[in-house]
Amino acid sequence: MGIVAGLDSSPDFTRIVVCDSDTGAVLRQGYAPHPLESPEGGGRPADVDPQAWLLSLGEAAGGGLLEGVQAIGVSAQANSVVPLDAQGNTVRPAMVGGDKRAQVAAADLIDGLGGREAWAQAVGSVPQAAQPVTKLRWLARNEPDAAARTAVLLQAHDWLVWQLLGRPVRRTTDRGGASGTGYWSAATGGYRPDLVELALGHQVMLPEVIGPAEAAGTTPEGLLISAGTGETQAAAFGLGIGLGDAVVSLGASGSVMAVHTEPLADQSGMITALADATGMHLPVVTTLNAVRTLRGAAELLGAGDLESLSELAMKSTPGAHGLVLLPYLEGERTPNLPHTAGTLAGLRRESMRPEHLARAAFEGMLCGLGDALDVLRGRGVDVRRVFLLGAAAELPAVQAAAPALFGTQVVVPQPADYAAIGSARQAAWALGASQGTLDPRTPPVWQGAVAQVLEPGEELAVGQAVRQQFVSVREQTHPGALRT
């Protein structure tokens, strides 16, 4: 079939991979940071001029990177809102990321529709500060002029696809991107314009949701552009996960997602019912405390870095001599304990050693993510293997404990640009479907991620005993907080 490209516009940079459309082999790649100004005090800006995404896209694609490419797929950061006026111009910078400004707006929206259960039934998720629907409520309350001028709503990947196609009248998105907005339901496959009006104060134009193998359009030069999707969905597609697979992502906070045949609504707000990039569903459960738990323990123990903390933890044994850390250092979403703090239990004279506390930090983090896995398992999601992502997945202490604590095979893929690869795979699918060489219901089969496979083996019983010890301390400290 030829060659295709995948583009991932993350919060900080653009990555492009050019792949063989039959095998998925990466032939060329490009990279460029976004030219963003950091806010005072550092960190990421909550408002970004979308032109920055185009500038870095152009730089990443320089040097003839896309020469000979027949189709391109686009993924981009989730939870972004690009508000446009009736002429297609941005009315203000794009609102991106976990926007703490919108926390009050989230509570307003929950009350406005009649509670958490009403939202879960309507769109499969309860408003969080980061979600587009919540940012719209913030916009209406704090910048009413900009809100009034907003006539069209796009997300980052929708806007980039639209720009690449030359800003046509038709604007498109995909199920994956739409499912994170808070105003589209994965269960019904339709928008809830009433929720946009509840948030923004008036109706707007929303992009057409097209199928996983459909094309958004073709450029004047003949380059086919696929539907595009969110970064999370693209990474899952790039990894090649399917039914029975879950992905545990280790960032400062953690997330657990799994492929499922149907959408899951959850009134507690612990599950966000996303759609995936293939026509299936991708329920996600988030924890606020993952690698930040390890960083805190490293600082407390004077370990210079996470590698040193891992080395220290490996001198202990499973169960950390009875030490149990509930790692709720920033409050927690799973279980829903926003105002709590962490707990260290099981202190005895013999357990008060650095290596045992280091081990307890790793086990506490992984048990917290195990709780998130159990939320999905409790709703009928089949988990036969877990893909473990993030730099911390390479740490020996993580790899030693994770299979037994999760109770399943753990796969640690080699670091790669999985979101960009997933976008390229989507482009190959759309190209093949348009040429009649691929079934629009079945994505192309690409070579899987190169990975290390870890089995729980003889450690399974010990790991499950450690999990039970964690659950007992959680139940004693926060009775009934987690119902799976």
Side-chain angles (χ1 to χ4, degrees), residues 419-455:
I421 291 168
S423 299
R425 189 179 177 208
Q426 187 192 62
W429 195 5
L431 181 65
S434 73
Q435 295 173 338
T437 57
L438 285 178
D439 186 334
R441 295 163 300 181
T442 308
V445 178
W446 277 11
Q447 57 198 22
V450 178
Q452 191 176 0
V453 179
L454 309 169
E455 300 285 355

Side-chain angles (χ1 to χ4, degrees), residues 66-463:
L66 298 181
E67 194 173 322
V69 167
Q70 296 168 274
I72 189 168
V74 176
S75 67
Q77 57 186 303
N79 296 323
S80 52
V81 178
V82 186
L84 305 179
D85 63 18
Q87 287 72 48
N89 302 311
T90 52
V91 302
R92 72 175 314 282
M95 304 173 71
V96 299
D99 199 335
K100 291 186 176 179
R101 296 176 299 186
Q103 285 174 338
V104 173
D108 284 350
L109 284 175
I110 292 169
D111 291 343
L113 195 63
R116 303 172 76 86
E117 188 170 359
W119 277 97
Q121 290 178 347
V123 289
S125 64
V126 179
Q128 304 283 343
Q131 275 187 300
V133 72
T134 309
K135 289 171 177 165
L136 297 182
R137 168 56 70 99
W138 181 92
L139 189 64
R141 291 286 185 267
N142 294 276
E143 298 178 10
D145 291 345
R149 285 169 42 228
T150 298
V152 181
L153 290 176
L154 297 179
Q155 293 193 85
H157 83 83
D158 310 334
W159 187 84
L160 284 166
V161 165
W162 183 59
Q163 294 289 330
L164 290 171
L165 288 170
R167 296 162 60 105
V169 172
R170 182 191 189 214
R171 300 176 182 93
T172 62
T173 190
D174 84 308
R175 295 170 65 256
S179 65
T181 60
Y183 44 80
W184 185 88
S185 167
T188 65
Y191 282 114
R192 287 288 302 264
D194 57 315
L195 299 183
V196 176
E197 188 166 357
L198 175 67
L200 191 62
H202 62 91
Q203 296 283 349
V204 295
M205 290 282 293
L206 298 168
E208 177 188 345
V209 181
I210 62 176
E214 287 185 65
T218 305
T219 68
E221 298 77 27
L223 182 66
L224 182 139
I225 301 184
S226 63
T229 194
E231 205 168 29
T232 299
Q233 290 86 350
F237 197 41
L239 280 167
I241 68 168
L243 288 172
D245 293 333
V247 176
V248 173
S249 183
L250 300 175
S253 53
S255 67
V256 176
M257 60 183 176
V259 178
H260 198 46
T261 53
E262 58 190 37
L264 298 177
D266 173 59
Q267 70 186 63
S268 74
M270 286 192 294
I271 298 175
T272 299
L274 298 182
D276 78 348
T278 72
M280 301 275 273
H281 296 273
L282 198 66
V284 178
V285 180
T286 302
T287 70
L288 292 183
N289 302 279
V291 176
R292 64 166 41 98
T293 306
L294 304 183
R295 296 204 183 283
E299 287 177 23
L300 181 66
L301 294 169
D305 51 31
L306 297 187
E307 288 73 18
S308 300
L309 186 74
S310 172
E311 196 176 314
L312 192 60
M314 293 298 284
K315 294 175 181 174
S316 181
T317 51
H321 272 243
L323 281 189
V324 176
L325 177 66
L326 302 183
Y328 308 149
L329 309 182
E330 297 280 326
E332 190 47 84
R333 267 187 67 178
T334 308
N336 186 24
L337 297 165
H339 306 299
T340 194
T343 301
L344 184 62
L347 281 170
R348 297 180 185 275
R349 177 64 190 89
E350 61 271 18
S351 65
M352 295 176 72
R353 296 183 59 82
E355 61 267 29
H356 303 324
L357 180 53
R359 179 87 189 196
F362 281 96
E363 290 179 347
M365 175 188 77
L366 292 169
C367 284
L369 290 160
D371 280 352
L373 273 171
D374 285 349
V375 169
L376 293 177
R377 285 170 166 146
R379 296 298 304 277
V381 177
D382 184 25
V383 178
R384 292 193 297 274
R385 64 177 177 171
V386 168
F387 285 74
L388 200 55
L389 303 185
E394 303 287 336
L395 296 172
V398 169
Q399 296 192 2
L405 292 178
F406 293 159
T408 189
Q409 183 186 85
V410 169
V411 178
V412 184
Q414 281 189 0
D417 302 322
Y418 290 111
I421 291 168
S423 299
R425 189 179 177 208
Q426 187 192 62
W429 195 5
L431 181 65
S434 73
Q435 295 173 338
T437 57
L438 285 178
D439 186 334
R441 295 163 300 181
T442 308
V445 178
W446 277 11
Q447 57 198 22
V450 178
Q452 191 176 0
V453 179
L454 309 169
E455 300 285 355
E458 296 175 0
E459 297 292 315
L460 180 60
V462 174

